[in-house]
């Protein structure tokens, strides 16, 4: 299955197997089968933070996305399966006049991925709104973790540390005014459109924010706005984004990331770490 069809970068060779389970039991069965056959597997959502090798992936891709995206509202809580898009979750919160999730409306990922890396934008983070998360452990046990057990920090969590697989999250929001919530979401949408290269395939912010700095500014100060390797380019609109100008390969992107990090280190002494996950 061509992985470029399942990543927002629109890059990546074929995976040997590609499955989209609909239930927790199906997920468990697939993983058990992979283990018994010594077959590598990897879980993805919307593929919004992922760069897959041009050679693809030798193993099984388990996609938790549209087939695993139940979402319901009870009072001020949202019960959300891992494959649900953040944008859809934010829309549901808006419809229920619940505030606190506006920041996530424009993040292109799923709830599962957002929990793993404590996704955030515009001053909000998943840790601010998460009450609990149900996960599948590496031993195949279903476990529910409360907010304080999640150890959510900048782009990390206990889920990432332990290699857990997110099944469902409970978000606790606050009653708000529908018009005000919509106004905030519209304002953030305008900011994104004006500042981010949304017209090109990308994986969002390519580098983690170094402590005390902004990756995009460091890259710009190193004279790398518009810098290109093959079809991969440092966005002229926002230097923190690497974009696919049309025919970029994973090799183009990784070489560009390497050269950018090298130049920034030489210019400012700061080490940039990729935020995008590399697979295969």
């Amino acid at each position: 299955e061509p992985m470029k069809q399942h990543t927002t970068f629109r890059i990546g060779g074929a995976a040997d197997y590609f499955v989209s389970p609909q239930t927790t039991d199906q997920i468990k069965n697939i993983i058990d089968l992979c283990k018994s056959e010594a077959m590598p597997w990897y879980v993805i959502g919307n593929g919004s933070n992922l760069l897959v090798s041009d050679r693809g992936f030798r193993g099984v891709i388990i996609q938790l996305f549209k087939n695993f995206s139940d979402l319901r509202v009870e009072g001020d809580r949202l019960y959300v399966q891992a494959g649900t898009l953040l944008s859809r979750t934010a829309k549901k919160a808006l419809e229920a006049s619940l505030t606190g999730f506006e920041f996530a409306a424009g993040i292109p990922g799923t709830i599962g991925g957002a929990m793993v890396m404590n996704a955030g934008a515009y001053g909000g983070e998943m840790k601010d709104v998460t009450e609990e998360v149900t996960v599948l452990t590496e031993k195949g046990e279903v476990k529910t973790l409360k907010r304080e057990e999640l150890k959510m920090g900048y782009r990390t969590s206990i889920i990432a540390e332990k290699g857990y697989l997110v099944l469902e999250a409970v978000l606790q929001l606050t009653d708000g005014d529908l018009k005000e919530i919509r106004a905030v979401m519209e304002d953030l949408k305008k900011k994104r459109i004006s500042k981010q290269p949304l017209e090109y395939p990308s994986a969002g912010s390519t580098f983690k924010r170094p402590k005390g700095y902004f990756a995009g500014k460091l890259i710009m100060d190193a004279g790398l706005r518009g810098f290109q390797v093959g079809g991969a380019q440092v966005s002229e609109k926002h230097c923190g984004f690497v974009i696919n100008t049309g025919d970029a390969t994973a090799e183009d992107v990784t070489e560009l990331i390497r050269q950018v990090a090298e130049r920034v280190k030489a210019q400012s002494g700061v080490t940039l770490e990729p935020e995008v996950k590399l697979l295969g």
Side-chain angles (χ1 to χ4, degrees):
E1 174 67 18
M3 288 306 294
K4 64 170 149 197
Q5 292 179 15
H6 302 284
T7 67
T8 57
F9 241 143
R10 298 285 171 258
I11 292 173
D16 290 343
Y17 300 94
F18 188 93
V19 291
S20 297
Q22 294 175 297
T23 67
T24 297
D25 282 345
Q26 285 178 358
I27 296 167
K28 281 176 154 180
N29 291 343
I30 291 160
I31 291 173
D32 286 345
L33 181 61
C34 288
K35 284 179 177 174
S36 71
E37 297 296 324
M39 175 76 77
W41 80 92
Y42 190 82
V43 179
I44 71 166
N46 186 31
S48 61
N49 195 39
L50 191 63
L51 179 65
V52 181
S53 159
D54 301 315
R55 295 182 296 279
F57 181 67
R58 303 288 70 82
V60 181
I61 294 289
I62 302 170
Q63 185 195 48
L64 300 187
F65 193 26
K66 290 171 185 172
N67 282 357
F68 201 74
S69 62
D70 285 350
L71 168 58
R72 71 180 194 278
V73 180
E74 287 181 18
D76 61 359
R77 286 173 175 80
L78 269 67
Y79 293 78
V80 198
Q81 275 191 314
T84 314
L85 283 168
L86 296 172
S87 54
R88 182 171 158 238
T89 308
K91 189 166 180 270
K92 198 76 170 175
L94 168 68
E95 286 166 6
S97 297
L98 293 173
T99 183
F101 204 68
E102 293 87 333
F103 74 91
I107 300 174
T110 57
I111 284 286
M115 289 299 166
V116 173
M117 63 181 288
N118 183 28
Y122 298 109
E125 290 180 297
M126 294 308 295
K127 70 178 176 65
D128 305 331
V129 293
T130 303
E131 182 172 68
E132 62 181 41
V133 180
T134 301
V135 298
L136 187 64
T137 70
E138 287 191 312
K139 290 179 180 172
E141 300 160 338
V142 174
K143 189 174 179 179
T144 298
L145 303 167
K146 297 289 183 192
R147 186 194 308 250
E148 54 277 9
E149 297 174 273
L150 291 166
K151 292 187 183 169
M152 284 177 152
Y154 178 66
R155 301 297 174 264
T156 188
S157 68
I158 194 82
I159 303 165
E161 283 172 32
K162 301 273 191 187
Y164 293 154
L165 190 158
V166 176
L167 298 171
E168 184 182 90
V170 181
L171 307 178
Q172 185 171 16
L173 304 179
T174 313
D175 288 325
D177 179 81
L178 189 132
K179 283 183 182 169
E180 286 175 17
I181 297 166
R182 182 178 280 125
V184 170
M185 282 169 67
E186 284 298 321
D187 181 48
L188 293 182
K189 186 179 177 182
K190 280 179 193 159
K191 282 183 182 169
R192 269 192 307 277
I193 290 168
S194 69
K195 291 179 182 170
Q196 297 178 9
L198 302 179
E199 62 275 26
Y200 288 99
S202 80
S205 296
T206 308
F207 297 95
K208 292 179 183 174
R209 190 178 67 230
K211 208 165 185 178
Y213 298 91
F214 289 102
K217 183 161 185 340
L218 290 169
I219 294 165
M220 187 174 71
D221 291 348
L224 292 166
R225 184 192 291 277
F227 175 66
Q228 199 155 345
V229 173
Q233 184 185 43
V234 173
S235 166
E236 294 185 15
K237 199 172 186 181
H238 188 316
C239 292
F241 284 64
V242 171
I243 58 171
N244 176 0
T245 61
D247 58 356
T249 62
E251 202 174 316
D252 292 342
V253 176
T254 49
E255 178 57 19
L256 184 141
I257 285 173
R258 189 192 69 75
Q259 290 193 36
V260 165
E262 200 175 80
R263 293 264 291 270
V264 167
K265 179 78 173 171
Q267 166 83 16
S268 61
V270 179
T271 301
L272 287 183
E273 275 183 67
E275 187 169 298
V276 62
K277 299 266 192 308
L278 308 175
L279 179 65

